[in-house]
Amino acid sequence: MERQDYTMPTLLQYENVAWYENGKVRILDRRIYPTRVEFVECENHQAVAQAITDMVTQSAGPYTAAGMGMALAAEESKNLARVEQIAYLKEASHTIANARPTTANRMSLITEKCVAVAELALEMGQDPTEAIKQNTIDSLNRRYYTMDQVAKYLIEKIPDNGTVLTQCFGETIIGMLLREAIEQKKTLRFFCAETRPYLQGARLTASCCAEMGFDTTVVSDNMIAYLMEHEKIDLFTSAADTIAQDGYIANKVGTYQIAILAQRFGVPYFVTGIPDTDKISHESIKIEMRDPEQVMELNGIKHTLDGVKAIYPSFDITPPELIGAVVTDRGIFSPYDLKRYLIEQPENNFY
């Protein structure tokens, strides 16, 4: 398959997401982009897991980093006996997949597939490192192609000269929506919620939109009601880190409150992504609590007095009554009808 990152903005080009080469995994540091364009180089798979934990990459970026990290693990263990190498890869799979708890289920799909690819390569006398790297590239192609199908359904719901509000950084769907708009010659305007405390909306989503030539405006997270009252917002959209089969979704903290405001102002909220096969209910979603120090500082500058406390839940959970639809590669589904997506085609080849 042709590489699916053609015409994509800088952040979404494969080599800039995560890339294994010469015994290292190179990851574009999204914590400081676009102020500085720097890469974190990981010399072992534990460093890749740590980079994921530290949010050097986030959104769908960790999926690619996980695959490339498993290629690195295969290289680390290349001199072990076959049984020992597979055991090493299984341990690496667990380490990388659990770098962030909320998405451990999705990450496990990736890393466990890498172990299976390595086993097959060893049986056939092939290099498991290269086999895993190629599998990761194939997975990228599938994901980009899948999200391109999602974008084709989503853009139908946005009028020409329409205005879209985004939350956090939806990674692939953002790039595909922008590319689809260009190919369809559709003019869109974007408002990007900044997404405290890491500012993914301001730094990442807005960068992609601006780089692709779209009218782009950043608003702070507490301006959404003002925005919806004074600007015509045609659609609020976000990706989701988890889409449970009962219609609840987990996404970057702040999504829930924007969904409440969208309902109040009559703005449709469309979630993009693929329902999770192993998340029957939202009750199984684990919310990651991160270091609260990150809330009390910005770009390394502390802005609270000693003794002030903070909390930092990475995600919140939005209920189905606030979601207009879930846009998938197989069409647009009611959040109350997600089981039909899985019944019609049980296999999820997204990863």
Side-chain angles (χ1 to χ4, degrees):
M1 180 187 288
E2 176 190 9
R3 275 182 49 152
Q4 296 297 298
D5 60 345
Y6 62 91
T7 73
M8 283 289 98
T10 302
L11 281 167
L12 297 178
Q13 294 165 16
Y14 291 173
E15 287 85 353
N16 292 336
V17 180
W19 197 254
Y20 169 80
E21 200 163 34
N22 298 325
K24 295 179 182 179
V25 173
R26 189 169 177 260
I27 306 172
L28 179 64
D29 193 340
R30 295 179 176 181
R31 298 169 300 181
I32 57 175
Y33 185 89
T35 305
R36 302 196 306 275
V37 180
E38 296 178 5
F39 291 81
V40 170
E41 288 194 343
C42 304
E43 298 186 353
N44 54 59
H45 75 270
Q46 294 92 339
V48 174
Q50 191 62 50
I52 294 169
T53 298
D54 293 343
M55 291 175 66
V56 172
T57 186
Q58 40 59 262
S59 188
Y63 305 146
T64 303
M68 295 298 177
M70 289 299 293
L72 178 53
E75 183 67 16
E76 292 165 11
S77 59
K78 66 181 180 181
N79 294 324
L80 297 176
R82 181 181 298 185
V83 173
E84 293 173 333
Q85 184 170 22
I86 295 303
Y88 187 92
L89 287 172
K90 287 181 178 178
E91 184 175 347
S93 170
H94 182 269
T95 298
I96 294 172
N98 287 278
R100 296 192 67 186
T102 301
T103 53
N105 62 318
R106 293 184 175 187
M107 295 283 275
S108 294
L109 294 174
I110 296 165
T111 59
E112 290 171 5
K113 174 68 178 298
C114 290
V115 174
V117 166
E119 288 184 293
L120 181 60
L122 288 168
E123 287 175 9
M124 298 179 66
Q126 298 173 351
D127 180 0
T129 300
E130 288 304 315
I132 292 174
K133 179 178 178 180
Q134 186 57 53
N135 176 74
T136 303
I137 295 169
D138 293 342
S139 177
L140 270 165
N141 274 331
R142 284 195 303 274
R143 185 159 63 250
Y144 276 48
Y145 177 80
T146 298
M147 296 314 292
D148 186 51
Q149 304 310 301
V150 176
K152 285 176 166 56
Y153 286 111
L154 179 61
I155 202 166
E156 290 178 359
K157 300 301 179 183
I158 309 172
D160 192 22
N161 296 306
T163 301
V164 179
L165 171 64
T166 67
Q167 160 69 341
C168 199
F169 179 47
E171 184 100 357
T172 325
I173 184 59
I174 289 295
M176 295 303 165
L177 178 62
L178 298 173
R179 186 167 75 187
E180 194 64 33
I182 290 171
E183 290 180 353
Q184 292 192 20
K185 296 182 171 53
K186 211 167 195 178
T187 300
L188 301 181
R189 183 170 63 140
F190 288 88
F191 281 94
C192 304
E194 65 174 350
T195 326
R196 281 281 288 133
Y198 259 12
L199 307 179
Q200 296 103 313
R203 294 185 299 97
L204 307 180
T205 304
S207 293
C208 287
C209 294
E211 185 178 336
M212 297 284 276
F214 291 86
D215 184 330
T216 307
T217 303
V218 169
V219 293
S220 66
D221 297 346
N222 57 353
M223 295 180 184
I224 303 302
Y226 177 91
L227 181 69
M228 289 183 174
E229 184 174 12
H230 294 279
E231 296 280 349
K232 178 171 171 40
I233 305 297
D234 294 291
L235 182 78
F236 167 47
T237 188
S238 80
D241 291 85
T242 289
I243 302 176
Q245 293 177 43
D246 60 359
Y248 288 75
I249 69 103
N251 194 51
K252 179 68 180 181
V253 67
T255 304
Y256 185 14
Q257 66 188 21
I258 299 178
I260 291 171
L261 287 168
Q263 185 182 69
R264 168 66 180 81
F265 285 96
V267 175
Y269 173 33
F270 282 11
V271 175
T272 57
I274 310 301
D276 288 271
T277 56
D278 62 342
K279 284 285 187 293
I280 305 299
S281 164
H282 67 285
E283 294 175 356
S284 62
I285 298 173
K286 182 177 181 180
I287 299 298
E288 175 188 3
M289 300 299 293
R290 295 187 64 82
D291 183 357
E293 288 291 329
Q294 296 169 351
V295 176
M296 295 187 286
E297 64 177 40
L298 184 63
N299 295 329
I301 300 173
K302 189 170 182 178
H303 48 74
T304 58
L305 286 174
D306 290 343
V308 174
K309 297 181 290 184
I311 61 169
Y312 182 5
S314 280
F315 307 94
D316 55 25
I317 297 174
T318 301
E321 61 264 27
L322 297 178
I323 299 169
V326 177
V327 186
T328 78
D329 59 320
R330 301 174 199 162
I332 298 176
F333 288 73
S334 162
Y336 297 103
D337 194 28
L338 295 180
K339 289 182 179 178
R340 180 167 58 86
Y341 177 97
L342 300 171
I343 290 170
E344 290 178 358
Q345 186 177 338
E347 282 124 23
N348 187 338
N349 295 318
F350 189 55
Y351 305 103

